């Protein structure tokens, strides 16, 4: 199994620190709003990496944080007039819902920055003792130039960085010894959440969170550290500096970064306003379609989001789901039970698809090629498997498709179609119209239809609302 390592700029054979075990840290979202589908890309691709490693027999300790203290969270809290914690808790809950809908497995641990402040104060103290950090009026900075290897991940030259950065000196930052120094701890401003520390009442910088949480839940040396490519510099570069200076060990062996999800060839981001939330997409599509779309490209390539590509993904996914459904039907109607010797021989062909699937995934998680292999297996099922086959053989072909789908986190069994939000709304409108026309029988019928599909209607003063039962 090979991964492209940002640190060495090479595809490298993956060798874990402990045979059979993988420790993996993936930077998670800052929780101040619903996640957008750009944020969903690392969640999906690194969940797929985890699933593939589990498929290969590794035990994966997967840690992904929630950044629950941040300027943006505080700004949103002020806007709504509620405590910051209420904002972060709400959006952690919503994010977990989106992850479940995307069939992203919960991490082994989902630490939250605000629960780990002691560890951060501990690491900052160690960095101060070792001379890697200094306090100016309650703000603690990391002394970047003291770490000779700074820049090794982003392949940036320290001198270039320094001269490029000099012009970036902004007011309030002139107390730094060097423009490249970054914040480890900052004092609170009026009304902000804060914690006691030896330096000031304040809160940690963003980068220190991940160094601390990775160390606490995975150890000083970890196998894989991952995130979107925008995190390479400065976030991951700073994490390396903090962790390696504190622990005196190589922090992470393999650094994996996903490319951007774009829209009209620009990065999808909250600040540009060009985003769709996962929730918005869910109103139009089963989120399995979104997952399939994300995996149809290599994780390091940029991926442009468009309605056409989503439709193509929907059709592609349907083709696989229909093949599985057809195998279910054939199995029910199959004449024989046990595999014939000829079928046993054919199983070698079926297994060969899995070997090719693995080969694609071994090559730096080439999910696009892996999906092509699933399509070939589907074609095999559609053309070579009939009701003349035994139940055992038909079942084995189906199990193979389901297994490969599961490695990609795709659920390929037909489920009773969930009603989309827009369909529900249409039915509610129709019911309102029926009530107006005093056609109460029709109105009740619609209410019951929705109830059968797990949708409860609530008549409120603001109109009819609905929720899942
Ligand atoms: P943030 O909440 O902005 O810190 O982002 C959480 C994760 O989503 C990080 O790993 C980012 O790199 C990633 N991310 C944000 N926007 C995009 C995008 N448009 N495409 C791919 N990954 C993204
Ligand atoms: Zn991080």
């Amino acid at each position: 199994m090979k991964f492209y390592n940002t640190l060495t700029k090479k595809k490298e054979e993956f060798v874990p620190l402990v045979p059979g075990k993988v420790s993996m840290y993936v930077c998670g979202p800052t929780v101040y709003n619903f996640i957008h589908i750009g944020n969903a890309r690392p969640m999906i691709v690194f969940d797929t990496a985890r699933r593939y490693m589990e498929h290969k027999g590794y035990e994966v300790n997967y840690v992904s944080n929630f950044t629950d203290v941040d300027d943006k969270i505080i700004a949103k809290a002020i806007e709504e007039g509620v405590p910051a914690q209420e904002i972060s808790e709400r959006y952690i809950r919503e994010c977990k819902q989106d992850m479940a809908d995307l069939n992203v497995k919960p991490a082994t641990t989902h630490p939250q920055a605000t629960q780990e402040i002691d560890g951060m104060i501990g690491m900052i103290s160690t960095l101060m003792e070792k001379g890697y950090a200094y306090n100016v009026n309650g703000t603690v900075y990391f002394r970047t130039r003291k770490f000779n290897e700074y820049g090794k991940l982003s392949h940036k030259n320290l001198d270039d960085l320094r001269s490029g950065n000099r012009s970036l000196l902004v007011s309030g930052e002139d107390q730094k010894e060097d423009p490249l120094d970054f914040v480890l701890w900052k004092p609170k401003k009026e009304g902000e959440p804060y914690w006691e520390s030896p330096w000031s009442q304040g809160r940690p910088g963003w980068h220190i969170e991940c160094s601390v949480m990775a160390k606490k839940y995975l150890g000083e040396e970890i196998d894989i550290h991952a995130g979107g490519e925008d995190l390479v510099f400065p976030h991951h570069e700073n994490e390396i500096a903090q962790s390696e200076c504190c622990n005196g060990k190589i922090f992470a062996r393999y650094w994996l970064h996903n490319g951007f999800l774009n829209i009209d060839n620009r990065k999808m981001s909250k600040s540009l306003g060009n985003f769709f939330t996962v929730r918005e997409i869910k109103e139009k599509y089963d989120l399995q379609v979104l997952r399939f779309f994300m995996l149809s490209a290599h994780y390091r390539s940029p991926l442009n989001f468009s309605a056409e590509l989503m439709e193509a993904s929907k059709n592609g996914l349907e083709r696989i789901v229909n093949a599985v459904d057809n195998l279910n039907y054939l199995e029910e109607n199959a004449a024989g039970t046990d595999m014939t010797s000829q079928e046993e021989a054919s199983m070698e062909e079926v297994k060969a698809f899995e070997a090719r699937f693995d080969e694609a995934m071994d090559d730096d998680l080439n999910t696009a090629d892996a999906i092509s292999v699933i399509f070939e297996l589907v074609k095999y099922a559609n053309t070579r498997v009939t009701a003349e086959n035994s139940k055992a053989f038909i079942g084995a072909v189906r199990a193979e498709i389901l297994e490969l789908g599961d490695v990609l986190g795709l659920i390929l069994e037909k489920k009773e179609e969930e009603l989309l939000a827009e369909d529900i709304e249409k039915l509610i409108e129709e019911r309102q119209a029926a009530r107006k026309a005093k056609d109460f029988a029709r109105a009740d019928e619609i209410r019951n239809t929705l109830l059968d599909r797990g949708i409860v209607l609530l008549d409120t003063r603001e109109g009819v609302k609905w929720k899942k039962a």
Side-chain angles (χ1 to χ4, degrees), residues 27-30 36 38-39 41-42 227-228 230-231 258-261 267-268:
C27 294
T30 306
H36 63 67
N39 302 132
R41 191 172 188 194
D230 51 339
L231 300 187
N258 64 274
F260 290 143
L261 179 79
K267 182 193 173 196
M268 185 177 284

Side-chain angles (χ1 to χ4, degrees), residues 107-153:
T108 316
T109 314
H110 276 294
Q112 285 172 233
T114 55
Q115 310 297 313
E116 310 289 346
I117 303 288
D118 285 351
M120 298 184 210
I121 291 174
M123 189 177 275
I124 298 170
S125 302
T126 306
L127 289 170
M128 295 213 29
E129 280 156 27
K130 292 191 172 183
Y132 287 108
Y134 58 95
N135 172 11
V136 190
N137 303 326
T139 303
V140 184
Y141 295 98
F142 186 88
R143 192 170 270 135
T144 302
R145 82 181 108 89
K146 199 169 150 86
F147 179 50
N148 289 333
E149 293 173 75
Y150 194 83
K152 69 178 171 179
L153 180 70

Side-chain angles (χ1 to χ4, degrees), residues 301-325:
S301 308
L303 174 59
N304 210 41
F305 179 80
S306 70
E308 293 77 46
L309 285 176
M310 282 297 281
E311 283 303 314
S313 297
K314 184 171 178 236
N315 294 336
L317 187 62
E318 255 166 30
R319 188 136 56 97
I320 307 174
V321 171
N322 287 339
V324 171
D325 201 41

Side-chain angles (χ1 to χ4, degrees), residues 169-439:
L169 212 80
V170 286
S171 65
E173 299 251 294
D174 46 4
Q175 55 183 6
K176 291 200 274 189
E177 288 176 2
D178 187 295
L180 278 187
D181 295 352
F182 57 90
V183 171
L184 299 173
W185 184 269
K186 57 181 159 192
K188 67 167 183 187
K189 290 198 201 97
E190 197 47 45
E192 288 184 351
Y194 67 89
W195 289 264
E196 298 291 338
S197 83
W199 317 290
S200 58
Q201 291 182 328
R203 59 190 162 102
W206 169 38
H207 314 299
I208 196 76
E209 290 177 16
C210 289
S211 283
V212 168
M213 295 188 260
K215 178 175 176 173
K216 176 163 171 190
Y217 295 100
L218 297 170
E220 293 181 342
E221 295 174 282
I222 70 174
D223 292 308
I224 301 173
H225 195 124
E229 68 182 356
D230 51 339
L231 300 187
V232 174
F233 185 85
H235 184 54
H236 288 165
E237 197 71 71
N238 291 355
E239 278 190 46
I240 292 177
Q242 296 162 155
S243 295
E244 299 194 356
C245 292
C246 174
N247 305 327
K249 290 186 181 141
I250 299 288
F251 178 33
R253 304 277 154 169
Y254 302 86
W255 287 86
L256 273 52
H257 293 100
N258 64 274
F260 290 143
L261 179 79
N262 292 331
I263 190 153
D264 299 328
N265 296 311
R266 291 178 78 192
K267 182 193 173 196
M268 185 177 284
S269 75
K270 295 241 171 80
S271 53
L272 288 173
N274 59 348
F275 63 88
F276 290 108
T277 62
V278 170
R279 238 21 104 78
E280 284 168 325
I281 299 301
K282 191 184 166 187
E283 295 196 356
K284 283 217 158 63
Y285 292 98
D286 180 336
L287 288 177
Q288 288 288 299
V289 175
L290 183 64
R291 182 158 185 136
F292 188 87
F293 161 76
M294 294 279 187
L295 297 176
S296 63
H298 191 270
Y299 75 95
R300 283 192 290 116
S301 308
L303 174 59
N304 210 41
F305 179 80
S306 70
E308 293 77 46
L309 285 176
M310 282 297 281
E311 283 303 314
S313 297
K314 184 171 178 236
N315 294 336
L317 187 62
E318 255 166 30
R319 188 136 56 97
I320 307 174
V321 171
N322 287 339
V324 171
D325 201 41
N326 189 42
L327 290 170
N328 284 334
Y329 173 80
L330 290 178
E331 192 186 12
E332 277 169 28
N333 295 288
T337 309
D338 299 332
M339 266 194 224
T340 62
S341 54
Q342 205 186 351
E343 285 175 336
E344 263 161 28
S346 299
M347 274 314 289
E348 305 225 339
E349 287 176 67
V350 174
K351 282 284 157 201
F353 287 105
E354 182 171 338
R356 287 180 45 223
F357 175 96
D358 284 6
E359 208 179 297
M361 293 295 280
D362 277 342
D363 182 16
D364 192 29
L365 304 169
N366 193 334
T367 52
D369 282 3
I371 287 175
S372 304
V373 176
I374 297 183
F375 277 130
E376 287 180 44
L377 177 56
V378 161
K379 188 169 168 203
Y380 176 94
N382 289 344
T383 53
R384 301 274 297 277
V385 184
T386 69
E388 309 289 301
N389 287 109
S390 68
K391 281 191 193 319
F393 181 71
I394 300 169
V397 173
R398 184 194 49 209
E400 192 59 52
I401 300 177
L402 292 180
E403 184 182 340
L404 300 187
D406 187 55
V407 172
L408 300 180
L410 297 170
I411 301 164
L412 300 174
E413 298 239 58
K414 230 179 206 158
K415 38 185 170 180
E416 194 185 336
E417 259 183 46
E418 253 194 54
L419 284 177
L420 299 171
E422 31 180 308
D423 298 330
I424 298 172
E425 245 108 71
K426 266 196 208 120
L427 282 167
I428 292 177
E429 270 173 37
E430 203 186 320
R431 176 168 167 267
Q432 291 302 84
R435 282 167 126 195
K436 244 197 190 142
K438 304 223 180 309
D439 183 356

Side-chain angles (χ1 to χ4, degrees), residues 73-87:
I73 299 174
I74 295 169
K76 177 94 172 170
I78 293 169
E79 188 188 308
E80 288 195 19
V82 298
Q85 203 184 344
E86 189 174 319
I87 299 292

